[in-house]
Amino acid sequence: MTRGEREGFIWILLAAAGFSVMPTMVKLTYLHSTFEPMDIAIWRFVIAAPLMWALVLFGRRPQRSVPAEDLPVTRLLVIGVLIAAAVLAAFFALERLPGSMYIVLLYSYPAMVALLSRLLGEEINPRTWLALGLALIGVALTVPNFASGAGGDAIGLGLALLNAAIIALYYLLTRRALAGVVDVSRSSAVMMVSTLFIMLMLIPLRGLQLPQNPLTLFLLFCIGVFGTVLPVYGVNIAVQRIGAAQASLVSTIEPPMSMIVSVLILSEVILPLQWLGAALIVGSVIVLQLRPRNRIDLSIAHEAG
């Protein structure tokens, strides 16, 4: 495994860790405020976008900075719209579906990424397909009450699958947009501009609650940092280093991470079957890394020309 690939795996694991704390932070926000889901969704990007730009402005190195005009700005803005579409699809799907069913449908997106990558000519080796199977089974097992058959309507099912498809498209487009780009932090900030714009457009339509106490503001800040800035930047780095298919597969580590965070903070009870699912997901990540040491992925260099 090359140094770039190792960095890619580390960043996607950090992104999954960031996403994994968000459900617990959201639950705590509900407990300490009268916020609705869309209030949190809007505040999430109101906080995250300026923070991302602050990282760009205060953390850049002059000798490695890339002028904004050298970035694929149009593509990045389109990807930002996709992020907003995924957030909105998730919100409306969760209004119609049990959370467990939604998560299982959502995590069909690694399979979509793998299939679309194959259709676009990228080689997907048997080890990746094996890891995909282990991950999908693991996700189904880690989600409580999924086997109980709790129902959801057809529109909810369609929205959840649409959300998965949008995320799959996000991975693929990000992979191509960032090929050869050095300043990934600035690219991530550009993406968030259009995401924030879409979210701000919702305020006149539905209004926006203000944080009611310091704890709510702190929780929103945590959601913005750990649930948005870190994951977006981490995913962007990862798909650039290891490709969309493998990055999306490693991201399935998020459900067991969320499970562990819920145990530690909310004292939730975890069933043995869920631990088995978590083990399968961790196993899928290990399988992905058991590749010949002399194999070098040249796809990034090929895409960069």
Side-chain angles (χ1 to χ4, degrees):
M1 182 179 294
T2 66
R3 178 181 177 182
E5 289 176 325
R6 285 195 298 271
E7 290 177 353
F9 274 99
I10 291 171
W11 275 110
I12 196 63
L13 289 173
L14 288 173
F19 277 132
S20 71
V21 303
M22 191 162 64
T24 297
M25 294 296 101
V26 169
K27 289 181 181 179
L28 291 173
T29 304
Y30 289 150
L31 287 175
H32 297 283
S33 71
T34 59
F35 275 18
E36 296 179 358
M38 281 305 297
D39 293 307
I40 296 177
I42 294 172
W43 276 108
R44 176 185 176 188
F45 289 96
V46 167
I47 292 172
L51 285 176
M52 182 64 80
W53 278 105
L55 289 176
V56 172
L57 295 175
F58 294 103
R60 66 181 180 178
R61 301 175 184 176
Q63 68 272 21
R64 289 179 59 84
S65 64
V66 179
E69 60 269 17
D70 290 343
L71 296 176
V73 174
T74 301
R75 290 186 183 183
L76 295 174
L77 292 175
V78 169
I79 293 171
V81 173
L82 284 178
I83 295 173
V87 171
L88 295 175
F91 167 66
F92 290 111
L94 284 168
E95 283 189 329
R96 296 173 174 270
L97 290 180
S100 57
M101 182 177 293
Y102 166 77
I103 292 174
V104 172
L105 292 172
L106 172 66
Y107 277 93
S108 64
Y109 79 81
M112 295 181 185
V113 172
L115 291 173
L116 289 173
S117 297
R118 187 68 186 89
L119 290 174
L120 292 172
E122 182 177 337
E123 180 185 355
I124 306 295
N125 60 48
R127 188 173 286 106
T128 300
W129 291 115
L130 172 61
L132 175 62
L134 291 174
L136 293 178
I137 294 171
V139 169
L141 292 177
T142 56
V143 178
N145 302 322
F146 175 69
S148 65
D153 62 22
I155 295 177
L157 293 172
L159 287 170
L161 291 173
L162 175 63
N163 191 19
I166 292 171
I167 293 174
L169 187 60
Y170 165 77
Y171 272 80
L172 292 170
L173 291 181
T174 299
R175 163 76 165 182
R176 294 177 179 274
L178 296 182
V181 171
V182 175
D183 199 342
V184 177
S185 60
R186 183 181 291 273
S187 300
S188 303
V190 172
M191 290 180 186
M192 283 197 185
V193 169
S194 53
T195 305
L196 177 61
F197 178 75
I198 298 296
M199 291 298 168
L200 292 177
M201 287 178 61
L202 297 174
I203 296 177
L205 299 176
R206 64 171 308 281
L208 180 67
Q209 293 193 62
L210 298 177
Q212 297 143 352
N213 51 65
L215 179 57
T216 300
L217 184 59
F218 172 74
L219 290 169
L220 291 173
F221 181 80
C222 289
I223 291 170
V225 174
F226 299 108
T228 311
V229 173
L230 174 61
V232 169
Y233 181 75
V235 168
N236 290 346
I237 286 283
V239 297
Q240 189 187 58
R241 300 287 196 274
I242 62 177
Q246 292 197 27
S248 63
L249 260 174
V250 178
S251 71
T252 58
I253 199 76
E254 180 193 335
M257 284 183 173
S258 295
M259 186 175 72
I260 293 171
V261 172
S262 296
V263 171
L264 295 176
I265 298 180
L266 300 178
S267 301
E268 293 186 357
V269 177
I270 304 301
L271 303 174
L273 201 60
Q274 292 175 273
W275 288 117
L276 174 60
L280 288 175
I281 293 173
V282 172
S284 72
V285 175
I286 294 173
V287 166
L288 279 180
Q289 300 197 51
L290 297 178
R291 295 183 294 167
R293 288 184 176 272
N294 60 350
R295 180 178 179 179
I296 300 177
D297 183 5
L298 299 179
S299 58
I300 295 176
H302 175 73
E303 290 180 10

